[in-house]
Amino acid sequence: MKVKDVIKRLEKYNPEAVLRLGGSKGEEVLFTCALAQDDKNVWLESESMCDLNEEIAARFQQVKNGEITERENYRNLIELGISAEDVKRVMGEDVYCEMMMTCVGGGLAKEMGREDLFDCTQKMDLF
C-alpha cells in the first residue's frame, strides 16, 4: 500500500483517534519511520518494536546538544504518545518533574489539550 493511500483512508476517521497495530486492542503506533537517504519504504513502529529507553534518551540528548529546545522535546514526546511515566522510568525523577512543571506550568499541556498531564502533577513530590 502506498503512503498516499493510507493518508486518504485515514482522512475519514477521527483525527484524535489512537492509531493501533493489529486491531482495537493492539499496540499504539509511536513512530513513522523511513531511512534517511531512502524513503521508498516507510513503516510504523510501536513500543515493542523499538528500544523506547534509547529513543527517549536520544531525544533528551538532542536538547543537551542544542539541536532542539526543551519545550520542542516535550511537545514531540507528548505527540508521540510517550508518557510522563515512560520519561520518569528512563530519565529519572528530576527530569520527570522538570518535564511536568514545564508542560503544566509553562502552558504546553493546556495548549495541546492534554489535561491528563495535570493529573500527573498531583502524584509529584514538589517539595
Side-chain angles (χ1 to χ4, degrees), residues 12 23 32 42 46-47 56 64 70 90 112 121 123:
K12 68 181 179 182
T32 55
V42 176
S46 64
E47 182 175 349
I56 292 170
K64 192 174 184 179
E70 199 171 68
V90 175
M112 295 182 73
T121 60
K123 302 176 203 168

Side-chain angles (χ1 to χ4, degrees), residues 54-73:
E54 184 178 310
E55 187 66 40
I56 292 170
R59 289 171 182 278
F60 278 90
Q61 187 63 44
Q62 286 180 311
V63 173
K64 192 174 184 179
N65 294 344
E67 297 169 43
I68 60 174
T69 68
E70 199 171 68
R71 187 176 174 90
E72 288 171 319
N73 184 39

